[in-house]
Amino acid sequence: MSSKNFIAGVKSTQIRYIAGFVYGASKRWNFLARTTPGVSELLNRLEYHIKDVFIPVLIGKLHVSEQLRKIFALPARMGGLSIANICQTAELEYGNSILATEDLTNAIYDQESLY
């Protein structure tokens, strides 16, 4: 493989990461986590594929250590890739969603107007 093709492959992988993961799939998983109680255990297989398949392809390594995985979960402004471990954040996301919509939910149940 020539260096020109390798660079094109790397750029292509990075574009797929940005388009597919950051703006697509991760948003769907976050929605699932926010709306489905107890889903974190069901997302273990997804985390396995992110850690052992997706990230190695993205960075060109065969193995990603737990420490490196934690770094990649950090936001970009802190040196990470914003690839959150959805298994660790699912219950928190669901709890936050319940708290954020509690007043609105109660108003709907009670047929009250909030305005």
Side-chain angles (χ1 to χ4, degrees):
M1 175 185 257
S2 72
S3 61
K4 186 176 180 181
N5 288 341
F6 176 76
I7 291 170
V10 169
K11 286 181 182 177
S12 177
T13 301
Q14 291 168 345
I15 289 169
R16 281 189 217 120
Y17 158 69
I18 292 168
F21 190 83
V22 173
Y23 296 111
S26 67
K27 303 303 182 206
R28 291 183 192 132
W29 300 326
N30 282 334
F31 175 78
L32 181 68
R34 284 188 213 113
T35 58
T36 311
V39 76
S40 62
E41 287 298 317
L42 300 173
L43 295 171
N44 281 330
R45 188 169 180 191
L46 174 62
E47 173 55 27
Y48 166 79
H49 284 286
I50 290 171
K51 180 181 178 284
D52 292 342
V53 178
F54 179 69
I55 293 175
V57 167
L58 187 65
I59 64 172
K61 284 190 163 190
L62 293 177
H63 175 71
V64 175
S65 67
E66 285 300 317
Q67 182 180 11
L68 196 54
R69 176 64 183 101
K70 288 178 183 177
I71 292 171
F72 289 155
L74 294 172
R77 69 180 180 275
M78 296 176 73
L81 294 176
S82 298
I83 304 175
N85 183 336
I86 193 68
C87 295
Q88 293 177 348
T89 60
E91 296 304 319
L92 179 65
E93 291 287 343
Y94 181 74
N96 288 340
S97 177
I98 293 296
L99 289 174
T101 60
E102 186 175 24
D103 290 339
L104 183 58
T105 303
N106 291 336
I108 291 170
Y109 282 142
D110 298 337
Q111 295 294 301
E112 292 179 358
S113 175
L114 295 178
Y115 301 103

